[in-house]
Amino acid sequence: MLEQIRIILVNTSHTGNIGSAARAMKTMGLSQLYLVDPVDEPDGQASALAAGAGDVLANAKIVKTLSEAVADCGLVVGTSARSRTLSWPMLEPRECGEKLVAEVGQYPVALVFGRENNGLTNEELQQCHFHVCIPANPDYSSLNLAAAVQTLCYEIRMAYLNKTRIPQEESEYPLSEDLERFYVHLESTLSNVKFINENHPGIVMTRLRRLFNRARPEAQELNILRGILAAIDKSSGEK
């Protein structure tokens, strides 16, 4: 079960943080580390700070984009502060661990961490179904990347150990790549019918992403929505 949970670090600038994150993961039984466009690939400093988690570090997968890292995931949770212009469905750390464990039996799931200095971009956060915020001291809420990884991996492990008390999710949800195809189709259709400006989809598409992430349509429901869009395309003369 834990082998299907991905810890994803985006554009990490310090290799030591990658090694420390690998160590934090292994202490909680996690092994799937993904690195999205790291400034530098793991080096000697990363290996030194990984300590006994050299295997997690050695097997880390390096990809260019977050989309590539989560394409086959059915649940993606991004770490974020609450103070965003457009609020997103939020989870507490304990809820996050329980939700990841409840759904990991169906498909890979991912927990995404951003850059050390400014976290995840709004575009990256919009690729996540939920956001999670660690309720740190508001007077000094800056957590080191590895400390944040350790905190949330601990919650995952506690949920895993208590999994008999957590009802397993039975609904079938679409994978991240399927949702992205839906959003591309939705934007195209809305542009064709002149609901949005093709060159400036702007806040409308962001709000629609938030709406569908909050509603979280099941796979069958997403197929219905795609069918509706196809019917609109056909009636408006678009292929």
Side-chain angles (χ1 to χ4, degrees), residues 3 20 39-40 43 48 56 80 84 100-101 103 118 122 126 136 138 175 186 192 226 234 236-237:
E3 291 179 355
S20 295
V39 173
D40 293 301
D43 55 12
V56 175
S80 170
R84 293 282 170 174
L100 290 167
V101 168
E103 298 192 25
N118 55 6
N122 285 330
Q126 287 175 22
L175 301 181
L186 178 62
N192 291 335
R226 290 294 300 271
K234 184 177 181 180
S236 63

Side-chain angles (χ1 to χ4, degrees), residues 136-155:
N137 175 8
D139 294 328
Y140 188 67
S141 59
S142 178
L143 274 173
N144 172 272
L145 174 59
V149 172
Q150 184 75 80
T151 299
L152 292 176
C153 285
Y154 169 81
E155 294 296 349

Side-chain angles (χ1 to χ4, degrees), residues 7-18 33-42 61-67 69 79 111-121 124 145:
I7 300 299
I8 301 176
L9 309 183
V10 176
N11 200 210
T12 310
S13 58
H14 301 294
T15 57
N17 284 334
I18 297 175
L33 176 60
Y34 279 64
L35 305 176
V36 176
D37 188 30
V39 173
D40 293 301
E41 295 188 9
K61 297 178 178 62
I62 300 177
V63 297
K64 292 183 178 179
T65 67
L66 178 58
S67 298
T79 54
L111 181 58
V112 187
F113 296 82
R115 300 155 186 81
E116 291 96 332
N117 57 347
N118 55 6
L120 296 167
T121 66
E124 289 162 348
L145 174 59

Side-chain angles (χ1 to χ4, degrees), residues 149-196:
V149 172
Q150 184 75 80
T151 299
L152 292 176
C153 285
Y154 169 81
E155 294 296 349
I156 291 171
R157 183 156 190 82
M158 291 302 97
Y160 169 70
L161 294 176
N162 293 325
K163 64 181 182 299
T164 56
R165 297 190 298 104
I166 301 172
Q168 297 301 296
E169 181 62 60
E170 295 181 358
S171 300
E172 182 182 352
Y173 292 107
L175 301 181
S176 180
E177 59 185 350
D178 297 323
L179 270 176
E180 288 304 313
R181 281 195 286 266
F182 165 70
Y183 290 131
V184 170
H185 191 174
L186 178 62
E187 183 174 338
S188 173
T189 299
L190 294 180
S191 297
N192 291 335
V193 298
K194 310 303 181 188
F195 183 81
I196 59 175

Side-chain angles (χ1 to χ4, degrees), residues 1 5-7 75-77 91 93-105 107 109-111 152 156 159 168:
M1 180 182 288
I5 299 177
R6 294 177 190 172
I7 300 299
L75 173 64
V76 182
V77 181
L91 298 172
R94 189 139 303 171
E95 291 178 300
C96 175
E98 292 174 350
K99 196 159 195 63
L100 290 167
V101 168
E103 298 192 25
V104 72
Y107 34 59
V109 299
L111 181 58
L152 292 176
I156 291 171
Q168 297 301 296

